[in-house]
């Protein structure tokens, strides 16, 4: 076992924290709520120059060939600053889908410019009334000439409003398949929808969108395993970001307990608040353990191990992460209810992270469905 | 024991339902239907509708415009209005300063203020909290100094003043005797005309994105001394008296019943694998857990109501209402968010074929609900009070 970060990872964490301090403090996230895009291409390019956008992507596609642990280290820091650039949507979710489904040419074609920060991507997988179902049903790919015609609708496509290309899951004759659709494609209509963090997300309509065979990622019918792998990485990334979010909300709360005075004393002297702070701290520590577990295992080829770890971690985020931000507001008192105070922004981001890439119920069900969940259970013989 | 309402009370419930069904204007009904946010104008319109019916201040004495209802009828009226999703009337005049004026005010003060509270001509806000004085209200610093010409000169800052931007008057606590032996002793209860020179209001957004509260700055504001209610320096008694009023409303059982029904209605329209969540035993169980809490709270509230109807002082049963009621309202909204799943991220965006109108307001309401365990005395302070006054535990 080894829970130490490598030298590079420590430098990465330092650089990311510096970046948040100088280039993207929470005030910037607050400002970006008013921005139509919700993030800045210049900052994205800078993240590309720093080598952050390809941390865990293959070297042959221009990535650093690192691991999701690197991504975890980065996202914890970015989460603490509520950095609004679409890191998970583009550099994890969409990128991992291309990596797992696409061939070498497709990977370098779509990933290389994104890794440099010149373009951004999005993955369009969710459909109306389908919750977290992976299998596309409301989006259909028909063979037409040398390529395909795509029709259907996707919802909650993060970065769909700004992405240069969208990875879209659709039902082809031989099964669920991923396609890359350039933003400029005829018949692609994107409607912005504001999220609880006051960031744009998108509803995407595909109306007779034509793509070539070269835009199909992998053979027909190969989408589901790639989608699952991509979502596992994204869920692990969300736990890491959530750790940063909860950690920052906790830090604000600790500082408040140490400075706010009522009844002639610092409110941190009240034992009930001390215990509450300790409970938050316990949840935060659990969350850190789970973020590590998810980061280490989310790329594991062994399905049971990967699924169990990621789902356990994501469920922990939904429960423990939310508890931390709720109590952060409570211990701030009235000021925690104002839009002007940052603690509310952390609360809202956590609320979003809790339902992104599978909510608590989804992940509990998935965890309990793995064979290892029943390991060691001696079922009595029926009858 | 008997948990049934008496026939005349059941008949009264029917009357209230009928009234709401015929009198609520369509634009209010539309907001109520989705549990959205009422504009100030809409709230005041509803105020006037209830005023014309004679139901706007059911708990006031009849000679001052009260409805002549017994406690159970008042409870039913309130519950039915909550169940119907009607606008929440501003409580500051009707439920706070009004009853205090009735109890402690001079005849002149009553005649001056009560009729306009009743009619809605004058809107009130509550200026208790200050940046440095929240839970520890007695440490408030806003000063009021006698200028020798029959006026008090008020200086200070109030904060979290709910809807001060709409208020004509503010009742507040000010320090009139800085030399008093205890901080509580030097405080007076004062009525301030919000149009007085020197009053500035800065509205703030809440995390639910409504402009629900304000900073209120008072700079050399001249207030006639006859606007002191109760004895000079005796304001703390009034502040405490307020806590005893209409405790059965505090639990907001009607609101929570409505909110839980909304959860069920959303669950009936949310599909997972082609099946409504409402038909999934896992989700049913989660909803049922809150139904248990709701029912317990409801009976608890009836017990408090019964004691009140018998003319007894509020007992321990009423002390827990605020804690459980506020926590339950948060839990229900959280469950609504969980039921919505991906749609929980919606922020004010209009309904579509995949987002039901009932879902549109859940996100903002869920954020704002975090306030229910903070305002009106935080739940930590409520627990301190119960530990001391109900359980009789020793205090340091
Ligand atoms: C939406 C909203 C509307 C409001 N409207 C009004 C209004 O119209 N008029 C008005 O005057 N005020 C209003 N308030 C203010 C409200 O009454 C105060 O926020 C509340 O009393 C808490 O005070 P505070 O915000 O200063 O928090 P603090 O008192 O600073 O409390 C911070 C934290 O410390 C805890 N704490 C404090 N003392 C103790 C203790 N002794 N033991 C254990 N824990 C303790 C609190 O529970 C809280 O968790 C409103 C507040 C909100 C959120």
């Amino acid at each position: 076992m080894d829970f130490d970060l490598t030298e590079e990872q420590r430098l990465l964490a330092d650089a990311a924290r510096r970046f948040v301090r100088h280039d993207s403090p929470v005030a910037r996230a607050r400002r970006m709520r008013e921005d139509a895009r919700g993030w800045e291409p210049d900052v994205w390019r800078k993240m590309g120059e720093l080598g952050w956008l390809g941390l865990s992507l293959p070297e042959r596609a221009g990535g650093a060939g690192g691991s999701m642990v690197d991504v975890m280290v980065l996202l914890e820091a970015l989460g603490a600053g509520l950095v609004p650039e679409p890191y998970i949507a583009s550099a994890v979710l969409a990128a991992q889908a291309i990596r797992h489904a696409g061939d070498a040419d497709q990977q370098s074609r779509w990933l290389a410019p994104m890794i440099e920060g010149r373009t951004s991507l999005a993955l369009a997988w969710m459909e109306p009334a389908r919750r977290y179902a992976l299998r596309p049903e409301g989006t259909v790919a028909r063979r037409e000439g040398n390529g395909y015609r795509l029709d259907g609708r996707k919802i909650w496509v993060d970065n769909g409003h700004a992405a240069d290309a969208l990875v879209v899951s659709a039902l082809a004759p031989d099964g669920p398949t991923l396609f890359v659709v350039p933003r400029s494609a005829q018949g692609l209509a994107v409607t912005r929808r504001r999220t609880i963090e006051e960031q744009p997300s998108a509803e995407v309509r595909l109306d007779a969108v034509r793509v070539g065979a070269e835009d199909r990622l992998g053979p027909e019918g190969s989408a589901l395993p790639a989608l699952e792998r991509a979502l596992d990485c994204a869920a692990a990334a969300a736990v890491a970001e959530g750790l940063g979010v909860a950690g920052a909300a906790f830090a604000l709360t600790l500082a408040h307990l140490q400075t706010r005075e009522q009844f002639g004393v610092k409110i941190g002297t009240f034992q009930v608040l001390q215990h509450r702070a300790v409970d938050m701290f316990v949840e935060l520590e659990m969350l850190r353990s789970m973020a590590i577990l998810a980061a280490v295992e989310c790329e594991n080829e062994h399905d049971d191990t990967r699924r169990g770890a990621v789902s356990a971690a994501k469920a922990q985020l939904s429960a423990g992460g939310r508890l931390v931000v709720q109590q952060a507001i409570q211990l701030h008192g009235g000021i925690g209810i104002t839009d002007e105070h940052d603690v509310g922004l952390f609360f809202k981001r956590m609320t979003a992270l809790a339902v992104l890439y599978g909510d608590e119920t989804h992940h509990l069900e998935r965890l309990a469905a793995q064979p290892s969940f029943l390991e060691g259970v001696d079922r009595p013989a029926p009858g | 024991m008997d948990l049934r309402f008496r026939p005349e009370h059941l008949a009264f419930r029917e009357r209230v339902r009928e009234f709401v069904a015929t009198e609520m204007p369509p634009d209010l009904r539309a907001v109520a239907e989705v549990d959205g946010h009422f504009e100030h104008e809409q709230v005041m319109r509803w105020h006037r509708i209830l005023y014309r019916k004679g139901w706007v201040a059911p708990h006031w004495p009849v000679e001052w415009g009260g409805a002549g209802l017994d406690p159970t009828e008042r409870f039913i009226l309130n519950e039915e209005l909550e169940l119907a999703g009607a606008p929440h009337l501003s409580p500051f005049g009707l439920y706070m300063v009004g009853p205090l004026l009735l109890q402690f005010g001079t005849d002149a003060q009553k005649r001056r203020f009560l009729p306009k509270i009743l009619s809605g001509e004058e809107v009130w806000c509550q200026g208790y909290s200050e940046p440095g004085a929240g839970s520890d209200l007695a440490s408030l610093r806003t000063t009021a100094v006698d200028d020798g010409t029959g006026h008090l000169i008020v200086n200070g800052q109030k904060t979290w003043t709910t809807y001060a931007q709409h208020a004509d008057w503010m009742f507040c606590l000010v320090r009139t005797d800085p030399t008093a032996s205890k901080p509580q002793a030097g405080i007076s209860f004062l009525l301030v005309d919000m149009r007085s020179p020197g009053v500035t209001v800065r509205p703030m957004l809440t995390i639910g994105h409504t402009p629900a509260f304000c900073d209120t700055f008072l700079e050399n504001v001249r207030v006639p001394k006859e606007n002191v209610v109760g004895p000079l320096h005796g304001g703390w008694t009034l502040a405490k008296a307020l806590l005893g009023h209409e405790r059965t409303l505090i639990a907001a059982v009607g609101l929570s019943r409505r909110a839980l029904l909304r959860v069920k209605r959303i669950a009936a329209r949310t599909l997972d694998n082609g099946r409504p969540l409402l038909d999934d035993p896992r989700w049913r169980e989660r909803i049922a857990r809150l139904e248990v809490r709701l029912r317990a709270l409801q009976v608890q509230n009836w017990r408090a109501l019964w004691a009140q109807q018998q003319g007894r002082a509020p007992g321990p049963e009423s002390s827990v209402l605020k804690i459980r009621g506020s926590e339950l309202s948060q839990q229900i909204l959280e469950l609504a968010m969980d039921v919505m799943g991906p749609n929980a991220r919606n922020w004010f965006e209009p309904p579509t074929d995949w987002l039901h109108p009932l879902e549109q307001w859940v996100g903002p309401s869920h954020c704002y609900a975090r306030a229910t365990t903070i305002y009106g005395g935080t739940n930590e302070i409520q627990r301190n009070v119960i530990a001391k006054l109900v359980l009789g535990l020793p205090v340091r």
Side-chain angles (χ1 to χ4, degrees):
Chain A
M1 271 199 220
D2 180 2
F3 283 99
D4 268 342
L5 296 179
T6 62
E7 182 58 23
E8 290 88 43
Q9 287 166 341
R10 265 197 298 276
L11 291 173
L12 173 63
D14 286 345
R17 282 194 290 261
R18 238 183 354 259
F19 168 81
V20 165
R21 237 181 354 260
H22 297 302
D23 298 289
S24 192
V26 176
R28 178 171 167 263
R30 185 178 283 286
R31 214 169 48 241
M32 281 294 114
R33 302 193 299 178
E34 318 292 330
D35 187 88
R37 181 193 291 265
W39 56 272
E40 290 171 295
D42 283 352
V43 176
W44 188 246
R45 246 185 320 271
K46 174 159 186 191
M47 292 170 80
E49 282 158 19
L50 287 163
W52 291 352
L53 301 180
L55 276 182
S56 74
L57 297 173
E59 284 174 51
R60 62 189 144 71
S67 74
M68 283 299 290
V69 175
D70 302 335
V71 172
M72 174 187 83
V73 166
L74 175 70
L75 280 179
E76 182 185 354
L78 299 190
L82 295 171
V83 174
E85 274 61 32
Y87 192 92
I88 300 184
S90 177
V92 180
L93 187 59
Q96 291 288 349
I98 292 172
R99 173 212 188 153
H100 282 286
D103 61 27
D105 282 351
Q106 289 169 324
Q107 290 185 25
S108 36
R109 178 172 166 211
W110 296 109
L111 295 183
M114 194 279 294
I115 289 169
E116 290 172 18
R118 289 189 287 118
T119 61
S120 71
L121 302 166
L123 176 70
W125 67 286
M126 299 180 95
E127 297 181 348
R130 300 269 299 145
R131 237 173 151 79
Y132 301 102
L134 282 184
R135 191 183 157 81
E137 284 186 352
T139 310
V140 177
R142 293 182 187 83
R143 290 182 198 143
E144 216 181 66
N146 277 344
Y148 292 84
R149 168 196 161 141
L150 306 180
D151 292 277
R153 194 153 54 125
K154 299 289 179 180
I155 58 174
W156 298 119
V157 183
D158 288 347
N159 199 40
H161 65 294
D164 298 274
L166 284 77
V167 181
V168 177
S169 62
L171 199 54
D174 284 344
T177 309
L178 294 176
F179 298 89
V180 185
V181 180
R183 182 57 207 280
S184 54
Q186 284 277 323
L188 187 75
V190 175
T191 315
R192 278 158 210 251
R193 301 217 26 127
R194 250 171 131 61
T195 66
I196 189 165
E197 314 100 300
E198 300 188 55
Q199 276 279 318
S201 182
E203 176 180 356
V204 174
R205 282 172 192 274
L206 301 111
D207 184 12
V209 171
R210 294 196 162 71
V211 293
E214 71 280 8
D215 298 321
R216 191 191 66 220
L217 299 175
E220 274 186 30
S222 67
L224 296 189
L227 267 181
E228 186 185 329
R229 299 294 299 269
L231 277 158
D232 277 334
C233 289
V239 178
E241 187 187 327
L243 174 63
V245 169
F250 182 62
L252 282 179
T253 307
L254 267 193
H256 191 67
L257 292 177
Q258 281 158 347
T259 48
R260 172 71 170 167
E261 290 188 10
Q262 290 287 276
F263 303 100
V265 294
K266 307 263 187 270
I267 59 172
T269 57
F270 299 128
Q271 211 159 47
V272 65
L273 301 192
Q274 292 181 348
H275 287 193
R276 199 77 56 79
V278 171
D279 288 343
M280 294 165 75
F281 172 69
V282 170
E283 290 299 344
L284 208 52
E285 281 299 305
M286 295 296 130
L287 204 53
R288 178 172 302 285
S289 294
M290 283 306 219
I292 293 170
L293 175 72
V296 170
E297 301 293 9
C298 69
E299 295 186 286
N300 196 317
E301 299 291 333
H302 186 245
D303 284 346
D304 187 322
T305 308
R306 185 187 69 251
R307 290 171 180 160
V310 170
S311 285
K314 190 63 184 25
Q316 176 77 29
L317 179 73
S318 294
R322 281 200 294 190
L323 184 128
V324 172
V325 292
Q326 287 169 353
Q327 291 308 321
I329 289 184
Q330 182 66 25
L331 298 197
H332 274 83
I335 203 169
I337 301 296
T338 58
D339 183 69
E340 287 165 34
H341 199 285
D342 288 345
V343 72
L345 300 186
F346 291 115
F347 174 83
K348 289 176 181 177
R349 181 60 186 158
M350 184 62 80
T351 303
L353 288 171
V355 297
L356 276 164
Y357 324 121
D359 63 5
E360 185 180 21
T361 308
H362 171 86
H363 283 292
L364 290 177
E365 181 178 19
R366 186 168 180 250
L367 168 65
Q370 302 312 312
S372 62
F373 180 79
L374 296 177
E375 229 168 65
V377 179
D378 50 337
R379 283 183 189 271
Chain B
M1 297 244 176
D2 184 354
L3 296 184
R4 286 169 306 181
F5 283 89
R6 292 211 301 269
E8 64 270 26
H9 286 146
L10 293 175
F12 179 73
R13 192 181 284 280
E14 278 314 307
R15 276 177 56 207
V16 179
R17 284 191 186 157
E18 219 176 279
F19 164 79
V20 174
T22 53
E23 297 298 324
M24 200 193 288
D27 64 316
L28 269 62
R29 192 171 298 283
V31 178
E33 175 56 32
V34 297
D35 293 307
H37 173 74
F38 290 101
E39 296 301 327
H40 176 67
E41 179 279 321
Q42 293 178 305
V43 177
M44 292 317 294
R45 195 145 33 95
W46 184 240
H47 181 118
R48 288 191 295 274
I49 291 169
L50 286 170
Y51 170 63
R52 282 196 292 274
K53 177 72 182 171
W55 281 351
V56 79
H59 50 300
W60 288 17
V62 183
E63 65 269 28
W64 287 106
L69 302 175
D70 70 29
T72 305
E73 286 166 332
R74 299 206 295 264
F75 171 84
I76 288 171
L77 174 60
N78 181 72
E79 184 174 57
E80 283 301 321
L81 295 179
E82 286 186 348
L83 284 172
H88 223 72
L89 299 189
S90 167
F92 304 113
L94 294 169
Y95 285 89
M96 296 185 180
V97 75
L100 285 180
L101 284 169
L102 283 162
Q103 197 178 345
F104 298 96
T106 63
D107 277 348
Q109 286 172 333
K110 289 183 205 172
R111 278 196 306 277
R112 165 63 189 86
F113 293 112
L114 293 178
K116 290 187 172 174
I117 291 175
L118 205 65
S119 66
E121 274 166 87
E122 286 176 347
V123 175
W124 286 75
C125 65
Q126 176 187 27
Y128 279 17
S129 305
E130 297 181 2
S135 298
D136 180 16
L137 193 54
S139 70
L140 62 91
R141 294 224 184 103
T142 297
T143 55
V145 179
D146 195 335
D147 75 346
T149 71
H151 286 85
L152 295 170
I153 307 300
V154 183
N155 278 290
Q157 182 192 343
K158 296 295 179 179
T159 192
W160 326 128
T161 337
T162 298
Y163 287 125
Q165 71 269 44
H166 301 307
D168 304 291
W169 285 86
M170 171 167 73
F171 62 93
C172 53
L173 295 173
V174 294
R175 189 160 300 286
T176 39
D177 181 6
T179 63
S181 55
K182 295 198 306 179
Q184 287 88 341
I187 292 172
S188 298
F189 190 96
L190 188 65
L191 311 180
V192 176
D193 184 340
M194 292 297 275
R195 283 189 196 78
S196 318
V199 178
T200 333
V201 165
R202 185 183 73 100
M204 287 180 272
L205 280 182
T206 69
I207 54 173
H209 220 271
T210 47
F213 51 29
C214 304
D215 275 328
T216 305
F217 301 92
L218 303 152
E219 206 183 329
N220 292 322
V221 180
R222 271 165 66 87
V223 182
K225 277 170 83 176
E226 60 261 28
N227 285 9
V228 174
V229 184
L232 192 69
H233 314 322
W236 195 250
T237 316
L238 277 75
K240 278 196 304 190
L242 204 56
L243 300 175
H245 288 288
E246 298 290 290
R247 306 190 75 137
T248 59
L249 306 186
I250 255 177
V253 175
L255 289 184
S256 282
R257 268 176 69 189
R258 185 179 169 87
L260 194 60
L261 178 62
R262 173 166 65 170
V263 173
K264 294 173 188 170
R265 292 176 68 204
I266 294 173
R269 289 161 174 81
T270 304
L271 301 181
D272 189 10
N273 243 323
R275 187 164 76 144
L277 260 50
L278 192 61
D279 298 336
D280 179 335
R282 287 175 309 177
W283 288 99
R284 277 227 181 172
E285 182 182 322
R286 288 192 59 188
I287 298 172
R289 274 182 207 287
L290 294 189
E291 179 103 16
V292 171
R293 295 190 148 223
L294 179 62
R295 291 194 184 193
L297 189 66
Q298 189 172 26
V299 178
Q300 188 76 15
N301 215 21
W302 288 340
R303 285 172 58 206
L305 170 67
W306 179 78
Q308 196 184 351
Q309 177 91 35
Q310 305 297 309
R312 300 185 193 178
E317 67 279 346
S318 65
S319 63
V320 304
L321 292 173
K322 161 98 204 295
I323 291 180
R324 259 308 156 90
S326 57
E327 289 172 355
L328 182 61
S329 72
Q330 292 176 343
Q331 288 156 357
I332 292 174
L333 276 157
E334 219 174 296
L335 181 57
M337 293 287 274
D338 289 351
V339 165
M340 283 163 56
N343 283 358
R345 293 174 68 206
N346 196 63
W347 193 245
F348 292 104
E349 292 289 0
T352 65
D353 59 329
W354 50 268
L355 188 115
H356 192 269
L358 283 171
E359 296 178 271
Q360 189 184 355
W361 278 89
V362 172
S365 302
H366 152 267
C367 289
Y368 185 67
R370 300 319 303 179
T372 60
T373 48
I374 295 173
Y375 59 53
T378 69
N379 279 22
E380 287 76 22
I381 295 297
Q382 302 283 340
R383 285 183 166 88
N384 286 351
V385 170
I386 294 175
K388 188 168 124 189
L389 298 183
V390 180
L391 306 186
L393 288 169
V395 268
R396 260 199 294 182

